[in-house]
Amino acid sequence: MTPEPAFLLHRKAYRETSALVDLLTLNHGRIRAVAQGGQRPSSKSRQRLQPFTPLFIAWRGERELKRLTLMESRGQTALLAGEGLLCGLYANEIATRLLPLELASANVFAFYSALLEALPVPAARGLALRRYEWALLEALEATPRFCTPQGTPLDPHGRYRFEAASRAFLPAERGIDGRALRYIEQGDWESESLASALKALMRAALAPHLGAVALRSRELMMDLARRRQR
């Protein structure tokens, strides 16, 4: 096959010297594959298969578990630290959890690539993360419907909470501002005043798809926030 752009999402040991990897690819979505020799300390594949490193890969196999036949670097690894690193780990974790194998989504790949460029810049990472989360929801056909469950338009003067069953909104005294939801629906996300509404909406919309098991990356973020408050 023609080598395809990819990023490593997750890696773990497999048998004696190999690695089991999840990769986000441009044309085939998330794939799972065996990287033979990927656990050997001196292995070139182990050195290349690092998070946040742009790759070219090729594989064989018609079943869900592939075998990597090519791994080459196609650029520099994103140098992340602190909160930027934790956001990158979160992006990898939710893609691994949410994306069915081989569900093609060029948008997810594009927004993931843009996110890696934004993560080293504190002022840019929040919006880039929200757009990436939205791309995942689009791939799952799970984006919010900006109306009530009955299809009634939202009142810009009201407040609402997201209802997962209908992917719509119910009135709520302490919910998200209706005006903010209108801006979000229109794609006008640049204003800093929308940051908290966007974050709350994405968390609510993603939650039913992530399940009950806590995200490890989110726990690490909370630990970092607590340490900063001391």
Side-chain angles (χ1 to χ4, degrees):
M1 65 174 293
T2 303
E4 184 163 332
F7 291 97
L8 175 71
L9 296 174
H10 184 262
R11 183 181 73 185
K12 67 178 181 180
Y14 182 74
R15 296 181 176 171
E16 292 185 4
T17 60
S18 297
L20 186 64
V21 295
D22 282 51
L23 298 127
L24 180 63
T25 70
L26 174 61
N27 297 311
H28 292 79
R30 180 174 70 93
I31 69 161
R32 180 165 292 161
V34 174
Q36 292 182 322
Q39 289 299 108
R40 292 194 187 103
S42 60
S43 167
K44 288 185 178 180
S45 63
R46 178 170 182 166
Q47 296 168 13
R48 291 169 181 163
L49 280 169
Q50 299 296 327
F52 320 125
T53 299
L55 301 167
F56 279 119
I57 66 168
W59 63 88
R60 290 179 182 171
E62 299 299 325
R63 298 183 180 181
E64 287 190 350
L65 185 60
K66 317 298 184 185
R67 181 173 67 85
L68 291 184
T69 58
L70 173 73
M71 287 164 285
E72 293 181 352
S73 173
R74 60 182 176 88
Q76 296 295 317
T77 301
L79 299 177
L80 305 178
E83 187 176 288
L85 173 59
L86 294 180
C87 288
L89 295 175
Y90 166 77
N92 286 355
E93 189 173 9
I94 61 174
T96 304
R97 285 257 203 117
L98 292 174
L99 288 176
L101 290 172
E102 299 186 68
L103 175 67
S105 176
N107 268 352
V108 171
F109 189 90
F111 281 107
Y112 181 89
S113 301
L115 175 63
L116 292 189
E117 294 182 7
L119 286 180
V121 184
R125 69 174 62 120
L127 181 57
L129 194 55
R130 302 290 87 83
R131 293 201 183 281
Y132 168 69
E133 290 170 327
W134 187 265
L136 285 171
L137 289 169
E138 283 186 324
L140 298 172
E141 299 183 351
T143 51
R145 300 165 53 230
F146 290 90
C147 60
T148 68
Q150 294 76 31
T152 305
L154 302 181
D155 181 355
H157 302 291
R159 287 190 170 273
Y160 298 89
R161 66 174 178 84
F162 180 74
E163 183 191 57
S166 63
R167 294 177 22 231
F169 293 86
L170 296 173
E173 185 176 343
R174 297 185 179 181
I176 302 172
D177 180 70
R179 186 177 288 104
L181 289 172
R182 176 169 292 182
Y183 284 123
I184 293 171
E185 180 184 15
Q186 294 170 350
D188 187 5
W189 296 7
E190 301 297 329
S191 173
E192 290 185 7
S193 64
L194 288 178
S196 61
L198 275 166
K199 185 175 182 178
L201 176 58
M202 297 303 172
R203 179 167 290 194
L206 288 168
H209 305 283
L210 289 170
V213 179
L215 290 168
R216 176 59 178 156
S217 53
R218 189 170 288 165
E219 292 177 340
L220 291 172
M221 288 182 193
M222 293 171 63
D223 289 343
L224 178 61
R226 283 192 291 266
R227 289 198 298 272
R228 287 177 173 175
Q229 292 173 357
R230 291 174 184 170

